[in-house]
Amino acid sequence: MHNNKYLKENPNQPLLAYHFIQALTRINLAAHTTSTKQRSHIIKHAAYVSMAFAAGNKRTWTHAVLHNRFPIKTRFHRLSGSRRSFIVSLSRNKETLHQAHLLRSLVPGGHAMEFSSLLMETANYIQYLTAQVRLMQCIVEKFDMHV
Amino acid sequence: MSSRRSRNITEEEINELISKLQTLLPESRRRGTGRVSAAKLLKETCNYIKSLHREVGDLSDRLAELMATMDNNSAQAEIIRSLLRS
């Protein structure tokens, strides 16, 4: 089935590290001009951008991150994508639909996706999130050793 | 391309995708191997994503603090080199 590829692909960790470390280097150069709080915000943004670059442009969530500076304050009305999920399965209960709606707010671009795409994008997004977290933990560890 | 969009997604395929999501959740959030409702799995997925977002935020704070204390360029180059090696 076509959607299997969404889970088979492992996050491109070298590319993720490359983008993120490049960003950190830039941020570090300007460290004397930024407050810690500002810097934290910039680093967080760099984390999501690195994830999106590494994941590539075949995903809806990466487009949403790169164009909307996730977390998105979306002004878009719920597109037909989410309404279509009503038609897909009338037997799905209210609680499932409610949770699906919450999930859409957590995945970049989630509100514009068809339900099955939402599930696939979520899987991919989680894989990149966990890779990014591991990368950041690794960097913090190395920093701690040298400081 | 248009044929993919008009293809009817079956209930079964949706359930399969949802259970595949379950495999991405860490052990502590998997809620057993028996049949779990789609709603519960989606809820756990939401909670997991929220905790990952929080971790990214906390780690960003940590990195920002560490940068403030580090003003040595050669130490930084060493870190990058050791990271790329590992």
Side-chain angles (χ1 to χ4, degrees):
Chain A
M1 203 177 4
H2 137 88
N3 51 35
N4 275 342
K5 75 168 191 229
Y6 275 81
L7 281 185
K8 278 203 190 124
E9 173 207 312
N10 287 320
N12 191 335
Q13 275 157 331
L15 196 55
L16 191 66
Y18 172 75
H19 279 294
F20 188 59
I21 292 172
Q22 258 205 334
L24 283 183
T25 309
R26 275 197 305 266
I27 295 167
N28 192 36
L29 283 174
H32 55 283
T33 64
T34 54
S35 70
T36 304
K37 195 169 169 191
Q38 276 177 321
R39 209 158 44 242
S40 171
H41 194 75
I42 296 169
I43 291 172
K44 190 163 78 166
H45 176 67
Y48 286 104
V49 168
S50 305
M51 281 169 52
F53 269 129
N57 60 9
K58 290 210 172 96
R59 309 287 180 236
T60 306
W61 70 263
T62 61
H63 284 278
V65 167
L66 294 174
H67 294 116
N68 297 328
R69 297 172 68 96
F70 186 72
I72 309 165
K73 312 257 187 270
T74 174
R75 288 172 287 115
F76 290 105
H77 52 279
R78 309 292 178 256
L79 296 183
S80 58
S82 51
R83 257 177 245 133
R84 215 177 293 146
S85 70
F86 279 81
I87 299 164
V88 161
S89 167
L90 295 170
S91 66
R92 199 165 303 126
N93 61 43
K94 243 182 8 181
E95 181 57 23
T96 307
L97 290 168
H98 172 63
Q99 292 300 334
H101 179 76
L102 293 177
L103 183 62
R104 288 176 187 279
S105 307
L106 291 170
V107 176
H111 288 294
M113 297 172 194
E114 209 177 18
F115 189 58
S116 61
S117 303
L118 173 67
L119 296 175
M120 293 190 274
E121 294 267 337
T122 300
N124 188 260
Y125 183 54
I126 286 179
Q127 285 180 306
Y128 274 88
L129 267 176
T130 51
Q132 180 69 35
V133 163
R134 262 182 271 128
L135 171 64
M136 292 171 87
Q137 283 169 337
C138 177
I139 295 174
V140 165
E141 260 174 67
K142 303 267 179 183
F143 260 84
D144 262 339
M145 276 160 47
H146 285 84
V147 167
Chain B
M1 181 184 76
S2 58
S3 63
R4 176 155 68 94
R5 280 175 163 264
S6 61
R7 181 172 80 96
N8 284 325
I9 315 282
T10 66
E11 178 82 15
E12 208 178 288
E13 286 175 308
I14 296 279
N15 285 329
E16 197 183 315
L17 284 171
I18 292 180
S19 71
K20 278 193 175 146
L21 264 184
Q22 188 181 21
T23 67
L24 287 177
L25 299 176
E27 286 296 328
S28 53
R29 289 181 190 267
R30 272 194 211 171
R31 297 175 149 268
T33 49
R35 274 196 57 112
V36 185
S37 77
K40 287 213 163 67
L41 274 172
L42 289 176
K43 184 173 173 187
E44 280 309 314
T45 305
C46 286
N47 289 337
Y48 186 43
I49 293 179
K50 274 191 259 186
S51 81
L52 287 171
H53 284 171
R54 266 196 307 269
E55 272 199 85
V56 172
D58 290 344
L59 287 163
S60 299
D61 284 339
R62 190 86 187 92
L63 282 172
E65 280 166 31
L66 285 168
M67 272 192 195
T69 62
M70 198 177 100
D71 49 12
N72 190 337
N73 274 324
S74 65
Q76 180 194 303
E78 177 56 40
I79 288 167
I80 292 173
R81 254 180 264 125
S82 68
L83 265 172
L84 293 173
R85 247 184 272 132
S86 58

